[in-house]
Amino acid sequence: MQRTDPVPPHDPGHAHDHDHDPLAAGRWPGLSGPTGDGGGPARRSLRVGIGGPVGSGKTELVSCLCRAFASDLGLAVVTNDIFTREDAAILERKGVLPTERIRAVQTGCCPHTAIRDDISENLDTVEQLEARFDPDLVLVESGGDNLTATFSYALVDVQIFVIDVSGGDKVPRKGGPGITRSDLLVVNKTDLAEMVGADLGVMARDAEAGRGGRPTAFVSLRLDPRAEPVAAWIRGLLADRAAASLALGTATAPAGGA
Amino acid sequence: MSADGGAAALLLLADGRFPAGGHVHSGGAEAALLDGRLTGPDSLAAYAVGRLHTTGLVDAALTAAVVVGLAADCDQHGCGPGRTLRLLDAEAEARMAMAPLRESSRRLGRQLTRAAAGCWPGPTLVAVAALHPDGPHQSVALGAVANAAGIGALDAARLSLHHTLTTPLQAALRLGGLDPFAVAALAASLAPVVDEVAAEAAQAATGPIDELPCLVGPFTEIAAVEHAARTDRLFAT
Ligand SMILES: Nc1nc2c(ncn2[C@@H]2O[C@H](COP(=O)(O)OP(=O)(O)O)[C@@H](O)[C@H]2O)c(=O)[nH]1
Ligand SMILES: [Mg+2]
């Protein structure tokens, strides 16, 4: 059985006040934050951070997105696993992306520091991939940490936080910045919900209550190998971004269809 | 300490929280732990002393020489920072026999330059950023940043050695589950060595640049090459 409850259907025609402005998304109110390169539409690629606890399905999500975008978008992936090559090796084995577009960075035993407090190594790696491949989309998978590990918006434009149902339905209620402030919360492994007695309705309600209108997607990546709701959300962001750069007169190639 | 207002900047740059990428490096400590050269507090102390007197002195002298050279450029010749930076970057390059060490030195140099550019903006950091397509060597970048931040040659050398000391200590602490208080005490006990080597480096920096110190630790260099090829490492170096 698969439940894909409150999926955020992206609606590019809808007037967005905050959620899909990559510069404003999820930031502390009033803090615009220093970014590596201004972060705006002048840079072509959209950088998406994928965080969440170990085993929730981050690497699986990266594989699914590679599959979903394989035919029409240029992709690059940076992984931050604790054992540095593990995630990259999985992606390479699955053959979802050419090896040279996947880079693993070392995080010195501190995966959260490498995506938040001192992003030097990640930013450097992202920029190298952008310089070499000019991708539409760069996915940065975090090393898998606790519920408080989130990305700096100087490294990514938006962040997805992935949890799964196997820890029970209390996780969204527990909160923490990943749950409450991520731009998209993904609740994965809905196929296991029944087995572990997790009530998806409760999870949806708690997530809704804590996220101030930011979207939540319930998925089973096992049953949905293209992560359709997440892919649709990213396509929406790419379309918004293309529209924003057109409006600014910045010449960027159209990045994928909406 | 500096008489010219660089003291607070020095503290910022010495702080492990300064976001210049250092936290993913172990200064060879991970490699030494993996191949059994580092086994506990005693060997960690010996390891740190060894590094301070070899690669630590070399890097500190290069950094101090950049500070001395940049000051002379401005005061005496009125020329830009380019020449000093180019010459010392070549001297740094010549002192690193192993490719992985050269690569990570440039990577750290460009990360430091990025972090410092917004802190002490000006022509020196613009020049050092443009020095090489892969970034300046770390020692050269640190000298340029010190100069831009108003830090003198001796303090710049001390700053370089502070990182030489604390990088492997911090990494060994994380990897080996050592007692953090014992590691802090070890660092404090080596502070006089930092001061002594810093004085030596600053002295060397006033001499001809092709006579700057040139010392290596062969084991650490070999281990660095092997380490770079490992797939299970947690630290970049
Ligand atoms: N049953 C089930 N297992 C999943 C699902 N998504 C991922 N997994 C499995 O969960 C494990 C951890 O996934 P992974 O992507 O490596 O987690 P990461 O640590 O967050 O990167 C792997 O064995 C996946 O095959 C799902 O939707 N359902
Ligand atoms: Mg993973």
Side-chain angles (χ1 to χ4, degrees):
Chain A
M1 55 135 274
Q2 177 187 17
R3 281 185 63 180
T4 47
D5 271 329
V7 160
H10 184 85
D11 172 10
H14 174 262
H16 303 294
D17 40 27
H18 58 289
D19 269 341
H20 294 140
D21 173 0
L23 289 179
R27 285 211 174 127
W28 209 250
L31 183 72
S32 63
T35 60
D37 58 2
R43 162 161 53 70
R44 215 175 69 86
S45 70
L46 177 73
R47 299 174 182 169
V48 178
I50 300 181
V54 176
S56 60
K58 297 180 296 300
T59 303
E60 194 65 43
L61 179 59
V62 170
S63 318
C64 293
L65 293 173
C66 288
R67 225 173 270 128
F69 297 135
S71 61
D72 64 328
L73 292 182
L75 255 70
V77 171
V78 178
T79 70
N80 279 252
D81 211 337
I82 304 175
F83 267 106
T84 48
R85 293 283 309 161
E86 170 95 4
D87 284 337
I90 292 173
L91 295 173
E92 283 159 16
R93 262 202 313 281
K94 292 194 174 181
V96 287
L97 201 65
T99 313
E100 68 270 17
R101 286 176 178 254
I102 307 168
R103 294 273 172 84
V105 301
Q106 287 80 38
T107 60
C109 301
C110 262
H112 56 271
T113 305
I115 61 167
R116 189 186 53 205
D117 309 346
D118 184 350
I119 58 173
S120 301
E121 193 73 4
N122 270 300
L123 197 52
D124 207 84
T125 305
V126 167
E127 286 178 355
Q128 283 182 331
L129 284 165
E130 286 174 346
R132 178 147 172 226
F133 299 108
D134 190 26
D136 302 294
L137 182 65
V138 182
L139 303 175
V140 184
E141 180 185 342
S142 86
D145 216 312
N146 54 42
L147 292 173
T148 63
T150 50
F151 286 85
S152 159
Y153 282 103
L155 176 61
V156 298
D157 298 309
V158 289
Q159 56 189 308
I160 299 174
F161 200 75
V162 184
I163 58 173
D164 66 33
V165 305
S166 64
D169 52 29
K170 65 177 182 305
V171 177
R173 192 161 55 248
K174 278 192 162 178
I179 305 270
T180 58
R181 307 184 48 76
S182 56
D183 301 291
L184 175 67
L185 176 66
V186 171
V187 182
N188 185 28
K189 307 192 192 179
T190 52
D191 56 300
L192 301 178
E194 211 157 76
M195 277 169 261
V196 300
D199 185 333
L200 296 181
V202 168
M203 294 182 91
R205 195 195 60 215
D206 292 343
E208 161 118 46
R211 288 181 45 73
R214 282 183 278 274
T216 302
F218 284 75
V219 294
S220 164
L221 296 175
R222 177 124 325 155
L223 302 175
D224 176 8
R226 287 166 171 268
E228 301 286 358
V230 184
W233 182 76
I234 290 176
R235 284 194 194 278
L237 293 179
L238 287 167
D240 287 355
R241 197 177 174 79
S245 59
L246 269 182
L248 283 173
T250 344
T252 60
Chain B
M1 301 288 272
S2 318
D4 50 11
L10 180 64
L11 295 176
L12 284 177
L13 285 163
D15 190 335
R17 287 168 294 197
F18 190 76
H23 72 106
V24 307
H25 293 264
S26 80
E30 184 175 43
L33 266 156
L34 289 170
D35 66 22
R37 282 174 294 134
L38 246 183
T39 53
D42 290 347
S43 46
L44 182 58
Y47 182 82
V49 170
R51 282 193 61 95
L52 287 171
H53 283 291
T54 51
T55 171
L57 172 62
V58 172
D59 287 345
L62 284 161
T63 295
V66 170
V67 177
V68 169
L70 288 175
D73 278 349
C74 299
D75 296 351
Q76 292 164 24
H77 312 303
C79 61
R83 186 169 171 275
T84 289
L85 295 174
R86 265 195 313 281
L87 286 173
L88 284 156
D89 196 69
E91 291 294 327
E93 177 91 3
R95 282 164 174 74
M96 276 174 276
M98 304 299 181
L101 291 175
R102 286 198 299 274
E103 269 165 41
S104 66
S105 171
R106 291 206 182 276
R107 194 171 177 100
L108 280 163
R110 68 179 181 259
Q111 293 178 356
L112 173 61
T113 304
R114 180 209 295 276
C119 303
W120 300 282
T124 305
L125 295 190
V126 170
V128 82
L131 195 57
H132 188 281
D134 296 330
H137 276 302
Q138 186 188 18
S139 53
V140 175
L142 189 60
V145 170
N147 173 268
I151 295 167
L154 177 59
D155 277 344
R158 202 176 264 134
L159 175 62
S160 169
L161 287 152
H162 168 75
H163 289 303
T164 300
L165 173 64
T166 54
T167 298
L169 260 52
Q170 182 66 19
L173 173 66
R174 290 187 193 167
L175 290 167
L178 303 181
D179 174 359
F181 305 115
V183 172
L186 171 58
S189 75
L190 293 176
V193 182
V194 167
D195 283 334
E196 173 202 324
V197 180
E200 195 182 333
Q203 179 61 39
T206 60
I209 65 170
D210 50 2
E211 287 173 24
L212 286 169
C214 182
L215 299 156
V216 295
F219 281 126
T220 55
E221 299 236 332
I222 294 165
V225 175
E226 289 173 356
H227 185 258
R230 292 184 77 112
T231 57
D232 61 350
R233 66 204 155 107
L234 296 165
F235 287 85
T237 60

